[in-house]
Amino acid sequence: MSSDSIKTLQQKLFRGVEDANDIQQTDSRDPGLTIRIPKPEVAPLVPKLPSKTSKAASGESEIQQNGPIKNYRQRLSESLGVDYHGVEKYRLLQDENRERHWKRWGPYLSDRQWATVREDYSDNGDAWSHFPHEHSRSRAYRWGEDGIGGISDSHQRLCFSLALWNEQDSILKERLFGVTGHQGNHGEDVKEIYYYLDSTPTHSYMKFLYKYPQRKYPYEELVNENVHRDRNVEEYEILDTNVFDDDRYWDVFIEYAKDEDDPDNIYIRVTSYNRGPDPATLHIIPQLWFRNTWSWPAQNPPLPSLSAATTDDDISYIKVKHSEMGGNFLCCLPSPPPMGPDGKFVGDEDAVINPDLLFTENNTNFRRLYSGVNQSACVKDAFHDHIIPSHRPQRGRSDSQGTDGSSTPRPTSSTSTCEPLPQESPFVSSDKCGTKSAAHYIFRDVPGRGGCAVVRLKLTPLSPNKDRSLEDEGAFDDVVEERREEANEFYSSLLFGPISDDLKQVMRQALGGMLWTKQFYYFVQKEWIEGDPAQPPPPPGRQHIRNKHWRHMHIEDILSMPDKWEYPFFAAWDTAFHCIPLAVVDPVFAKKQLDILTREWYMKPDGQIPAYEWNFSDVNPPVHAWATFRVFKIERKLTGKEDIPFLERVFQKLLLNFTWWVNRKDSGGNNVFEGGFLGLDNIGIFNRSEPLPTGGNLRQADGTAWMAFYCLNMLNIALELAKHNAVYEDIASKFFEHFIFIADAMTYKSGDNESSLWNEEDGMYYDAIEFGPGNSIQLPVRSLVSLIPLYATLVLEPAVINRFPGFKKRMEWFIDNRPEISGRNMANMRAGGRGERRLLALASKERLVRILEKMLDEDEFFSEYGIRSLSKLHKEKPWGMQVNGDWHEVGYWPGESHSGMFGGNSNWRGPIWLAVNFLLIESLQRFYQYYGDELQVECPTGSGDYMNLVEVAEEIQHRIIHIFGRDMDGKRATNGGNVRLDQDPHFRDYVPFHEFFHGDTGRGLGASHQTGWTGLVAYHILQSGVSCRLPKTPRTPRSLVHHYFDETIDTQSEYGGDTQSLYSAISALDMNTLGDISPDAL
């Protein structure tokens, strides 16, 4: 590479943003998401850019040769005219219409494939021990692949991810480490610092950040310390060790950008910053490999191959050959030398860093793990042996030892006094070919305090000899920056009114994280149970351990994960909540997630929806119908499209699922439902998924309420479908009557007596144990079980009722002729509410007010950060009972769980969970539709401040947003007071999205990167972020949420003028903006 090329590269990579007066400035539009590449002291000249070739919207080639160079956004906007709504939305439309396969490549690698149920072939079902972390680098996976910030194609045939080495660790850092369910004092937990920073729905642009220590990674310390802690102590995290002291770590940013009109051309840029005080060396080792599909069949299939080659200009690349993929190339561009924070190169600026291409086979190292015979000369862990001498087999030490602090034998660390055995044969392929490859870049003496190193690669089906972007690094970087600007355009289009920059950033990271946590999920139950022909047969007893009744399952899909490290598997009720914010950015993907779980290769023939891989037969709350209709309405709001076939297809399958619930979870046929733990793990005094130690049957207030909620959502969908097919009017009547019977069952018969799940004295719903006729007791635990009956709420518009005379007639007949049922345990359906609406709800007005009195009491459920899962009352007054000599008790645990129930890695006895809060908020919004301003409640209880119910809903939303937003002192509650996370400029802009949150402080708990249902915060920000005050500041005296329920977009507000509120002129809203997303508007 010539000196001029190097200077051009320097100018392109380290330039700022030119303003109108050619003064260099820093782009501050999204500071938390912008890579802070240091600038030279003297502003460089902007180099002349080459002409760009791109397909126009019409599909014809367009080459701009004269005049100012226009980017793709400008050209597409000119081509589409008034139909232009943004580049990313255009790509989504192309993908939906199958004109371009924009989602063929995406972040589909798992963050953890080891220690999953799918890889478990043990005789006892102990997945954590059967495939531990120390096996993962040496043992081929059967069902998927993992990596750091990686991508793959949608069938995970070809995978790409990053490996790193700091010259201190005894292994390459090529996957994320954490403690297992056996090792963690609160269950499994990843012990790394990384962030999903950004992604568009088509993955045309993605950004990931990994913080890599320069000191030796503390594998053993993390395991040993967590193993020796009990459940009453907090988890021991990597920031509790010394590895990040003095800022001795690397910020490694990975960016992916697809070509403007070609989804198979992927630009990859890795930018690594030395945050420490001293120069340091970093090995950057991008890896490209095939998922192992050849070690399992009886007859070996055609083997794919990767091989080395160079262009005419001596650029190294890897040739990809696969029978199902055609040809691809990974071009590994020469890198400039490291650059210091002063903008100057280290050493000779004419020097370049060329990668060493390495090859091996993605096969198990049987010799290392089992003292067996390898199937190939080169094996999966070859790069560790090749790069790290201490990783090679040692004299006087077993070749099957590990490195990362597990209880199994370990090999020597990098400081071992044992000498490596002489390398008799190369660990990597001397022929430069194989099924796994890497490009090994070494950056020596990268300056401290912001020095950086940059690696560029391109995965492409185009011939490298004809690709101009490989010669012009500036043009390469322009592609990345253009995709980032298109991402800016896309997320800006979602915003509704002026939202603070901080909340915009939280929203974007939440949505970006949800798009990052897609994963290729592969599981064929028959093959998994029986084993593979080319492998030893599994232990005979294994088929009886779990999931033996799910033989129909055949999954090979891209699914939304709760968390790709802690929960790298789909979970049915999590998925329902994921789809709400996902529908805002990609309705097609959200619909597919809901549709696919009801397909015949997922759903059992009897109608049960699979829960999760640890036990597909577990029972989660029935939220699928709610999510389906919600996504349908969000898409209608966004695009004007009514996808009736989707709604009808899922509804038909849910009829089977509803029948399964009625047949399997209502043991007495009395419309009182059990259901088991229902996703709330340890919320009960007993494990609700096991037989009661007391004997008798558990009558679950939440189980029954969930089914009432299910009924109302099925009724709502049936009425929507009845607009297009009159047959569904009768089905709506069926669900109306079934709802009334379920509501009536909240008072259940016990012999000749009647017992109720409602406690009149406490004004709450409780579970009850029925021992026999006339013998039952309530379990007076104030928990979400008491609040979930509020979910069962539906408001019927008079226009809808009048549109369906058959349904109206049946409803009025039932109210008139069955008053003993329709008038008990539920709201009065006779009285018309606001706008002559009718209300179907379990809770009458009187009961609603009494429940809200406790729910909005800050000494009970109402935290500064949302609604607690258990009343704080139980801190001083735990409730328990003696059973067979054992004491069972429920107390207020606002943080981590103190018990091992359901693995001990989640806690429903006090913390705040966004999913259940979301449903409470929507329920209050629906109640407001009926009661309007007539019903005012004190919020918080005892404050003297009265609000209508939509104002209460907004107050809860704001408190949830306060978990993530900065307060006046720059602190985020989710960070738990950690000064580094709150104040360090290299941490403070990045937001973790935990699984649940401390009931008193809002500190993030559980899975630390769970952007699944915690991503609902993005929806809250879109809906009420405009009026959200800063955390720990007084609430404004009047609400700004009236626009949620205005019936037309030009209604004059109470504040005067033709606007919907104090801050927005809705009548001028672009149709492309999401706008009002309340239940009423949808």
Side-chain angles (χ1 to χ4, degrees), residues 641-751:
K641 174 184 177 182
E642 287 191 334
D643 194 346
I644 296 298
F646 156 74
L647 189 64
E648 187 171 21
R649 183 169 58 250
V650 177
F651 181 78
Q652 295 283 358
K653 298 295 182 64
L654 290 178
L655 290 173
L656 295 176
N657 180 248
F658 188 90
T659 304
W660 175 86
W661 270 90
V662 171
N663 291 338
R664 295 298 182 93
K665 296 302 174 182
D666 176 15
S667 60
N670 300 316
N671 294 302
V672 178
F673 293 84
E674 295 89 18
F677 85 117
L678 286 174
L680 306 184
D681 293 14
N682 64 345
I683 201 166
I685 189 170
F686 309 116
N687 185 335
R688 302 195 304 170
S689 288
E690 296 179 357
L692 297 175
T694 60
N697 295 316
L698 185 65
R699 302 302 191 186
Q700 292 185 222
D702 60 330
T704 305
W706 279 120
M707 282 303 290
F709 175 73
Y710 196 175
C711 255
L712 291 180
N713 281 292
M714 294 294 278
L715 163 60
N716 215 2
I717 296 174
L719 288 174
E720 183 68 35
L721 294 174
K723 298 176 184 177
H724 307 272
N725 186 340
V727 170
Y728 288 100
E729 188 174 351
D730 292 343
I731 297 177
S733 296
K734 178 262 182 230
F735 281 109
F736 167 75
E737 294 185 15
H738 205 141
F739 166 73
I740 294 177
F741 283 118
I742 292 174
D744 187 60
M746 297 295 275
T747 294
Y748 60 92
K749 292 186 180 294
S750 183

Side-chain angles (χ1 to χ4, degrees), residues 95 120 254 289 340 349 366 374 434 450 518 616 768 782 898 973 1011:
D95 190 81
D120 175 25
I254 309 173
W289 73 99
E349 69 174 25
F366 289 99
N374 288 333
K518 297 178 182 180
F616 287 129
R782 296 188 181 183
H898 296 183
T1011 54

Side-chain angles (χ1 to χ4, degrees), residues 376-390:
S376 56
C378 301
V379 287
K380 182 177 177 180
D381 56 13
F383 302 153
H384 297 261
D385 287 331
H386 176 78
I387 295 172
I388 308 174
S390 64

Side-chain angles (χ1 to χ4, degrees), residues 794-799 801 811 815 827-840 845 925-935 1047 1080:
L794 176 64
V795 176
L796 294 176
E797 300 288 337
I801 296 174
M811 181 179 72
I815 293 172
N828 184 356
M829 292 183 296
R830 293 179 180 274
R834 173 174 169 257
E836 293 303 311
R837 293 168 169 141
R838 292 293 184 93
L839 176 66
L840 302 180
K845 183 177 181 180
Q925 291 172 337
R926 287 194 296 270
F927 276 119
Y928 176 82
Q929 288 176 273
Y930 179 77
Y931 290 113
D933 291 329
E934 171 198 341
L935 179 57
E1047 294 176 0
D1080 199 63

Side-chain angles (χ1 to χ4, degrees), residues 30-36 194-200 205-211 251-255 487-488 491 504-516 986-993 1009 1011:
D30 58 344
L33 300 177
T34 302
I35 293 180
R36 296 304 190 186
Y194 59 101
Y195 301 92
Y196 309 112
L197 291 181
D198 206 3
S199 180
T200 57
Y205 178 75
M206 297 191 296
K207 184 186 292 184
F208 177 91
L209 169 61
Y210 175 66
K211 291 181 177 285
D251 266 343
V252 182
F253 292 89
I254 309 173
E255 291 175 284
N488 291 344
Y491 282 106
K504 288 178 186 177
Q505 185 166 290
V506 172
M507 180 202 75
R508 184 160 170 179
Q509 288 186 43
L511 293 172
M514 296 196 70
L515 294 167
W516 261 99
H986 302 303
F987 281 83
R988 66 190 180 197
D989 291 331
Y990 308 126
V991 184
F993 297 89
H1009 296 81
T1011 54

Side-chain angles (χ1 to χ4, degrees), residues 230-296:
D230 64 28
R231 298 191 187 278
N232 297 311
V233 182
E234 293 180 1
E235 295 172 322
Y236 187 68
E237 305 291 0
I238 192 167
L239 284 179
D240 297 323
T241 71
N242 70 348
V243 294
F244 283 90
D245 288 0
D246 306 317
D247 294 329
R248 295 185 186 275
Y249 69 92
W250 298 92
D251 266 343
V252 182
F253 292 89
I254 309 173
E255 291 175 284
Y256 299 94
K258 296 179 182 177
D259 203 37
E260 61 185 32
D261 201 32
D262 188 345
D264 295 320
N265 266 313
I266 304 173
Y267 298 76
I268 305 167
R269 185 169 69 185
V270 182
T271 312
S272 303
Y273 293 91
N274 179 0
R275 299 301 185 196
D278 303 316
T281 295
L282 179 65
H283 297 240
I284 298 178
I285 313 159
Q287 299 190 77
L288 185 74
W289 73 99
F290 293 111
R291 175 168 59 89
N292 187 322
T293 57
W294 52 85
S295 294
W296 327 112

